[in-house]
Amino acid sequence: GRIKAALLELQGYMIMCTAAIRGCFSPPFYARDVVEQIDAIGLGSLTVVLLTGFIAIALVRARLADKRRPAAIASRPMA
């Protein structure tokens, strides 16, 4: 019943993974295609990575600035 179906699903997954790994190391090799795809993926996501990094840095710096401010000044309302 359910166990047999789960094992068959696992078997299919393992066969697919084995074929994919075997395909990585067997000819023909498409090195140029792989490099082009990696380059396209990398450059396509570079903007997102840079924006995320700058936002994270800004948040960390703001958090550190709040921790360095004395408690009396930090709790005083800004005019």
Side-chain angles (χ1 to χ4, degrees):
R2 297 177 87 192
I3 294 175
K4 185 176 180 181
L7 289 175
L8 287 173
E9 188 74 27
L10 179 65
Q11 178 185 9
Y13 179 74
M14 293 304 294
I15 290 170
M16 180 191 69
C17 289
T18 303
I21 292 171
R22 193 175 290 143
C24 290
F25 299 104
S26 62
F29 299 108
Y30 300 102
R32 179 169 287 153
D33 290 340
V34 170
V35 170
E36 286 179 10
Q37 291 171 7
I38 290 172
D39 184 44
I41 292 168
L43 290 178
S45 64
L46 187 61
T47 306
V48 174
V49 170
L50 289 175
L51 284 174
T52 305
F54 284 130
I55 291 170
I57 290 170
L59 291 173
V60 167
R61 290 187 70 181
R63 178 80 174 200
L64 289 175
D66 283 344
K67 286 190 174 192
R68 290 183 188 147
R69 192 184 314 175
I73 296 172
S75 63
R76 187 174 56 181
M78 301 188 88

